[in-house]
Amino acid sequence: MAKGLLIIISGPSGVGKGTIRQAVMKDPSLNLWYSVSLTTREQRPGEVDGREYFFVSEKEFADNLKRGNLLEHACFVGHHYGTPLDKAEEKRLEGRNVILEIEVNGTLQVLDRLKDQDVVSIFLMPPSFQDLEARIRGRCTEGEKCIEERLKKAKKEMGMSAHYKYVVTNDSVERAASEIQGIIRKEIELARSSMTK
Ligand code: ADP
Ligand code: 5GP
């Protein structure tokens, strides 16, 4: 069986990665599996351990890192985030197309580490910086200091979109999700045809 793709959905905090990822995953024909990350940040109201993230202590995070079980990891606004390697690899070997929803530094690590053609990197861009600020504020999950830090970081991250294979503007959830579904469909087809050559 062909190994599944590794699809990275990235972009600044608050651009809509989680919202778009959920919309993209509604198409069962894409055979997608979402890789739940580890994080040391606090759980937000409504988040479920094991669904949005595995909420772990600093020690548990460090243990995973030491065991070599993180495909990539990053520190974002004072907290650690990382992708468990074992599950993502297991699912890809089962033929599932694995989605990571991660920030820019982690993406660069994956692109450096996995030079295979099966990595599909997608940067989600806000229609404007003002829209991004409104989305972060509208979500009401962070205090003012944290919002300012996330916005400062977003400016830098948006300048790094050239490292990605695709840049998609999240102007409307339906349109952006449909564009990404189209990209994934095309990449599945490309991987299939390169296997039969
Ligand atoms: P991220 O996962 O990138 O941090 P979220 O998915 O949590 O972002 O989205 C941040 C906020 O922006 C949420 O309140 C979400 O409902 C809103 N949002 C997402 N996409 C759009 C869009 N296309 N238009 C308007 N609001 C959006
Ligand atoms: P949040 O605290 O808003 O959930 O996430 C902060 C940032 O960390 C977001 O840009 C999110 O995509 C990113 N992130 C979530 N999980 C991971 C991960 O496993 N690795 C990396 N590098 N970034 C992640």
Side-chain angles (χ1 to χ4, degrees), residues 61-93:
F61 193 90
D63 284 348
N64 271 273
L65 189 57
K66 216 157 107 192
R67 280 195 286 122
N69 189 36
L70 295 182
L71 169 60
E72 59 71 39
H73 63 102
C75 187
F76 187 93
V77 192
H79 302 291
H80 292 104
Y81 297 80
T83 302
L85 179 60
D86 47 5
K87 267 283 174 204
E89 193 57 18
E90 180 191 313
K91 294 292 172 184
R92 285 186 69 197
L93 288 171

Side-chain angles (χ1 to χ4, degrees), residues 12-15 41 44 76-79 81 129-158:
S13 167
V15 69
R41 88 146 156 73
R44 290 175 187 151
F76 187 93
V77 192
H79 302 291
Y81 297 80
F129 197 73
Q130 287 71 24
D131 282 297
L132 180 67
E133 180 164 358
R135 284 181 198 173
I136 296 183
R137 290 190 186 281
R139 196 172 57 182
C140 289
T141 46
E142 276 91 18
E144 185 59 30
K145 186 167 170 274
C146 194
I147 291 174
E148 302 278 325
E149 278 180 76
R150 281 175 186 249
L151 286 171
K152 207 166 122 194
K153 206 161 166 78
K155 278 211 172 109
K156 280 197 196 136
E157 291 178 328
M158 281 155 71

Side-chain angles (χ1 to χ4, degrees), residues 9-15 17-18 34-39 41-42 44 47 52-53 55 61 70 72-77 79-84 100-110 139 141-142 146 150 153 157:
I9 298 185
S10 190
S13 167
V15 69
K17 297 184 292 297
Y34 175 56
S35 162
V36 178
S37 296
L38 305 185
T39 184
R41 88 146 156 73
E42 277 180 27
R44 290 175 187 151
E47 286 183 333
E52 280 80 11
Y53 286 105
F55 295 94
F61 193 90
L70 295 182
E72 59 71 39
H73 63 102
C75 187
F76 187 93
V77 192
H79 302 291
H80 292 104
Y81 297 80
T83 302
L100 309 186
E101 195 189 305
I102 62 176
E103 52 71 79
V104 174
N105 291 314
T107 305
L108 298 184
Q109 290 168 42
V110 177
R139 196 172 57 182
T141 46
E142 276 91 18
C146 194
R150 281 175 186 249
K153 206 161 166 78
E157 291 178 328

